[in-house]
């Protein structure tokens, strides 16, 4: 089966995805009977490439590895002002639009517009962008369903570590009553450094920034907003809620001192920034806040930049998965697994 | 879609499976468009029931809950000597044969014969029996493939906690290079009790027996043979090997003293019985043995009867899943999720 893609947004994740496609081309063909062609790439800053017969991804990766730009690809390049994402979504014959622009958690734009435009053109979508899913999941899901289109969102929570695919493919017909976990790698790294190396909050944050885990402005991570977006998504997608991020109380890790951490350590506890959502008396109760966990809690053993989620289910009890929560290749993989699953669904529906 | 089942072996797991079918009947129908009919149950000790229009499972559960027997169901009951498992597999019009007899790791019988008989009759199979999969996976898989039949084996490792379905549905095209984990709940319970409560090995074993985790003869668990069967299965099914249990070195936990455990604890380590299999220079190296893990290892935090597996992958790094490794409902669920997945595959192949 051949699947054609539009890639919208071509930053770290998009480049990681291209690298994986090159590395796994033969495996995809031989083991999954899947030939993936990227027919367009469009990025607000880097510009637009449209090649209906498929971009030569080996050539593109070489350009990027040599420090080149999208424009170095050749005659199929356009300035974004001449051919933007919306133009491309309307123009190409792709099967799937992959939305990888930067998350804007206030407006969810331009990603939401891109997704709706793709649906209008009969295209399935795959996205790692938390904005549209945190703010407009119900609406987007309903449009997709009406048009028999699929939405892959694995990359919005825990990058490529299985969450939504785990729930959909391996857990039915369990009813999931509660989900809690460590949803942000930066803050978990900082807390781990403070506890294990006795670093102050400021030093641990600096270290996280040096290693590329934390942004220059770390607010979204350390104040809990990144985890908040993910808790909103889990609440709405898995527990069937209809929450907005503003409905959920959030507290970050900035008030935790090294003294707090050492006191907890002596008592046999460990601080973790915990995102939680649960169905309580028919209502969804969600929160993001630091918690002191006993060392016997499986989440307390999750250290460094690793993320983890525990699902409380009616048949299987507690199931916990841990793995990467970010990373170029890891998030790139989240895009690919959703495309593989869409290919299986398309085959299944025929 | 309607699916008809033969249940062969009607012990704890089979009864758990019936209870789940009753509890989840509406969910299966509404969310999965799946109507499951059990057309036969056959158990060497309890006898055989054959009802082509489907056994009334509510009635059967009530009989069992009231301490009744299969023979109390009524006129569709036969003595096993009059109608045995092989007769039933040949006689009914079922779509799937569910093999839940007791694991015999030396001969893998009668389960292997049941599975082959089902394949000869064009029936898919689902099994929680480790014997046939540990000893004859390659052969059975090849027969299934030639006949376009599916084999569900989720319950053979970690009961219903996703392992094979996780790998098949949520991780491709990752290449898995190494799998290691805690594969036996009884031994993990004993080690946890020894460390946390300072119990001797003998007292902890007694406690495990009281709670129903360990059998009267605990050899298969404490000498590592149960974990060995699972490591063999993981090696052959996921890493593509062709090992027999005898090819893999095995060491149980019987030689570990409370002194060893307390010494390790002081050094910041914890004993766990670890099953491991990995591809090393193109060969598969597998083992079962107690290991002293640093507390930073995600497997060291897995306590009590919980099991866990870590997969080392090329794209996603390390992914760890933990959950129940045994239990009536948990293993019953493993049967059901495989049936759901087979129903999706049947739909997909049409």
């Amino acid at each position: 089966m051949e699947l054609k893609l539009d890639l919208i947004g071509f930053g770290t994740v998009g480049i990681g995805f291209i690298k994986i496609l090159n590395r796994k081309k033969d495996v995809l063909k031989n083991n999954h009977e899947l030939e993936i062609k990227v027919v367009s790439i469009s990025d607000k800053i880097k510009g637009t490439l449209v090649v209906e017969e498929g971009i030569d991804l080996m050539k593109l990766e070489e350009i990027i590895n040599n420090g080149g730009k999208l424009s170095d690809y050749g005659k199929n390049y356009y300035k974004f002002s001449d051919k933007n994402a919306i133009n491309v979504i309307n123009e190409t014959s792709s099967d799937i639009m992959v939305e990888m622009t930067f998350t804007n958690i206030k407006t969810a734009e331009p990603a939401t517009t891109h997704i709706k435009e793709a649906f209008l053109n009969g295209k399935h979508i795959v996205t790692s962008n938390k904005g549209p899913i945190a703010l407009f999941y119900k609406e987007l899901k309903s449009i997709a369903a009406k048009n028999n289109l699929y939405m892959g969102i694995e990359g919005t929570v825990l990058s490529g570590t299985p969450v939504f695919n785990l729930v959909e493919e391996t857990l039915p017909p369990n009813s999931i009553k509660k989900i809690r976990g460590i949803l942000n790698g930066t803050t978990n790294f900082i807390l781990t450094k403070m506890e294990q190396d006795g670093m102050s909050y400021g030093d641990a944050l600096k270290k996280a920034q040096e290693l590329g885990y934390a942004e220059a402005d770390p607010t979204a991570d350390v104040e809990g907003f990144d985890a908040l977006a993910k808790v909103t998504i889990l609440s709405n997608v898995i527990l069937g809620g209809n929450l907005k991020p503003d409905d959920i109380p959030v507290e970050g890790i900035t008030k935790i001192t090294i003294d707090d951490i050492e006191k907890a350590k002596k008592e046999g506890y460990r601080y973790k920034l915990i995102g939680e959502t649960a169905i309580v008396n028919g209502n969804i109760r969600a929160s993001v806040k630091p918690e002191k966990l006993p060392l016997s809690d499986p989440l307390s053993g999750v250290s460094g930049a690793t993320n983890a989620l525990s699902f409380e289910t009616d048949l299987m009890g507690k199931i916990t998965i841990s793995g990467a929560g970010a990373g170029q290749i890891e998030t790139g993989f989240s895009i690919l697994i959703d495309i593989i699953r869409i290919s299986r669904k398309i085959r299944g529906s025929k």
Side-chain angles (χ1 to χ4, degrees), chain A:
Chain A
M1 160 179 263
E2 183 184 280
L3 284 177
K4 292 181 181 177
L5 315 182
D6 297 316
L7 307 190
I8 310 296
F10 196 60
T12 318
V13 177
I15 292 169
F17 177 57
I18 294 290
K19 287 182 180 177
I20 297 175
L21 285 182
N22 283 335
R23 214 160 122 189
K24 295 289 184 177
K25 191 177 178 170
D26 293 343
V27 175
L28 289 168
K29 196 165 180 179
N30 299 334
N31 299 1
H32 302 277
E33 297 162 42
L34 195 54
E35 214 163 337
I36 296 177
K37 284 189 178 167
V38 175
V39 298
S40 78
I41 295 173
S42 188
D43 183 283
K44 202 173 64 171
I45 294 161
K46 298 178 180 174
T48 296
L49 211 55
V50 180
V51 183
E52 265 295 337
E53 63 273 23
I55 294 168
D56 179 341
L57 298 179
M58 293 302 279
K59 175 178 159 186
L60 180 61
E61 184 177 346
E62 209 183 310
I63 291 170
I64 292 164
N65 287 344
N66 292 325
K69 294 173 174 182
L70 222 49
S71 55
D72 297 328
Y73 188 83
K75 70 176 172 53
N76 301 286
Y77 178 81
Y78 307 85
K79 279 192 272 180
F80 194 76
S81 53
D82 291 340
K83 207 187 264 293
N84 64 29
I86 299 291
N87 301 142
V88 164
I89 294 169
N90 278 287
E91 189 182 310
T92 71
S93 66
S94 77
D95 306 288
I96 303 176
M97 189 278 287
V98 183
E99 222 305 326
M100 297 177 289
T101 63
F102 194 74
T103 292
N104 179 324
I105 199 62
K106 300 268 179 240
T107 66
E109 288 296 354
T112 305
T113 300
H114 295 159
I115 292 173
K116 289 185 178 173
E117 203 68 27
F119 286 158
L120 280 172
N121 281 276
K123 300 181 179 192
H124 309 285
I125 74 107
V126 170
T127 188
S128 55
N129 191 314
K130 294 182 288 289
I133 311 306
L135 297 186
F136 305 115
Y137 174 71
K138 268 238 148 83
E139 181 189 348
L140 296 173
K141 181 74 191 173
S142 149
I143 299 173
K146 275 181 206 144
N147 294 281
N148 289 314
L149 295 168
Y150 300 114
M151 267 174 82
I153 61 166
E154 186 62 78
T156 61
V157 178
L158 265 61
S159 72
T161 301
V163 174
F164 303 105
N165 294 337
L166 180 83
V167 167
E168 200 176 309
E169 290 295 339
T170 76
L171 297 184
N174 274 278
S175 135
I176 295 174
K177 300 168 284 184
K178 187 174 177 180
I179 309 170
R180 69 187 246 122
I182 296 169
L183 292 157
N184 179 272
T186 309
T187 46
N188 203 49
F189 175 85
I190 292 172
L191 292 174
T192 301
K193 279 284 154 197
M194 289 172 77
E195 187 190 328
Q196 288 183 358
D197 302 344
M199 280 187 182
S200 71
Y201 169 77
D203 288 345
L205 172 59
K206 221 175 281 170
K207 185 85 190 166
Q209 285 167 326
E210 278 167 27
L211 291 170
Y213 292 144
E215 317 257 340
D217 176 1
T219 314
D221 288 327
V222 299
E223 297 293 358
F225 298 127
D226 174 69
L228 174 65
K230 293 166 181 168
V231 166
T232 313
I233 292 173
L234 294 169
S235 302
N236 296 348
V237 176
I238 299 181
L239 301 188
N242 198 10
L243 301 182
K244 300 284 178 202
D246 285 346
D247 300 331
I248 301 173
V250 57
E251 186 187 332
I253 63 161
T254 54
K255 287 177 199 152
I256 300 178
T257 64
I258 184 78
D259 285 349
D260 295 332
I261 283 178
E262 281 178 357
K263 189 161 167 267
K265 194 175 174 178
K266 270 176 207 148
E267 294 164 353
Y269 287 83
R270 187 173 279 158
Y271 272 99
K272 292 290 174 191
L273 182 65
I274 298 294
E276 179 174 313
T277 181
I279 300 175
V280 183
N281 299 326
N283 295 311
I284 295 182
R285 288 247 184 94
S287 63
V288 173
K289 61 176 194 286
E291 288 185 28
K292 271 198 317 191
L293 304 183
L295 297 184
S296 60
D297 189 310
L299 295 178
S300 83
V302 177
S303 61
T306 305
N307 287 13
L309 270 184
S310 286
F311 300 88
E312 277 184 30
T313 71
D314 62 342
L315 302 176
M316 282 305 301
K318 191 191 277 188
I319 287 183
T320 302
I321 190 155
S322 68
Q328 178 179 44
I329 296 297
E330 292 83 350
T331 312
F333 165 71
S334 76
I335 303 295
L336 182 53
I337 186 66
D338 278 347
I339 290 169
I340 290 173
R341 291 198 59 231
I342 288 176
S343 78
R344 290 179 181 177
K345 287 181 180 179
I346 293 173
R347 275 185 259 238
S349 67
K350 272 178 185 160

